[in-house]
Amino acid sequence: MYDSELVLICPSKEMEEDVRQYKEEHFAYGDTQVHGSGGLAYYDDYDEWLKRVRLIKEADPANGVRTSTFFSQRAAYALS
C-alpha cells in the first residue's frame, strides 16, 4: 500500500520545464504575479531567476532579508 505526503523542494535546473508550466498556468488564469516565488513573474530567463532565488537565500541580513523559495511535491512512500 502507498500513501503520499507533500515535501518541500528547492528550485533546481532540472525543474525548469515544470516551473515554466507552473508560471504559465498562473498567467492563463489571469494572475499577474506568482506570489511567494522570488519574482518568478518578472523573469523570462529561468537561469537568471534561479540565480536570484539563490542570492536572496544567502543575502547578508545587514543589507536585506533572507528568504527561501520552495515548491511542494508529492512524495510516495510504502506503508508497512
Side-chain angles (χ1 to χ4, degrees), residues 34-53:
V34 183
H35 297 287
S37 67
L40 179 61
Y42 302 113
Y43 287 84
D44 292 326
D45 184 317
Y46 182 81
D47 291 328
E48 288 297 316
W49 172 77
L50 197 56
K51 185 188 317 182
R52 173 182 162 65
V53 167

Side-chain angles (χ1 to χ4, degrees), residues 6-69:
L6 291 178
V7 294
L8 298 177
I9 53 175
C10 293
S12 66
K13 182 65 177 171
E14 295 77 25
M15 299 173 61
E16 183 171 2
E17 182 59 23
D18 291 331
V19 173
R20 185 190 60 75
Q21 289 176 7
Y22 175 74
K23 177 182 170 181
E24 287 178 3
E25 186 174 345
H26 274 270
F27 292 161
Y29 282 94
D31 291 334
T32 57
Q33 292 288 328
V34 183
H35 297 287
S37 67
L40 179 61
Y42 302 113
Y43 287 84
D44 292 326
D45 184 317
Y46 182 81
D47 291 328
E48 288 297 316
W49 172 77
L50 197 56
K51 185 188 317 182
R52 173 182 162 65
V53 167
R54 289 176 179 156
L55 285 173
I56 59 177
K57 182 179 180 181
E58 300 166 1
D60 178 356
N63 297 324
V65 177
R66 288 182 183 171
T67 62
S68 297
T69 301

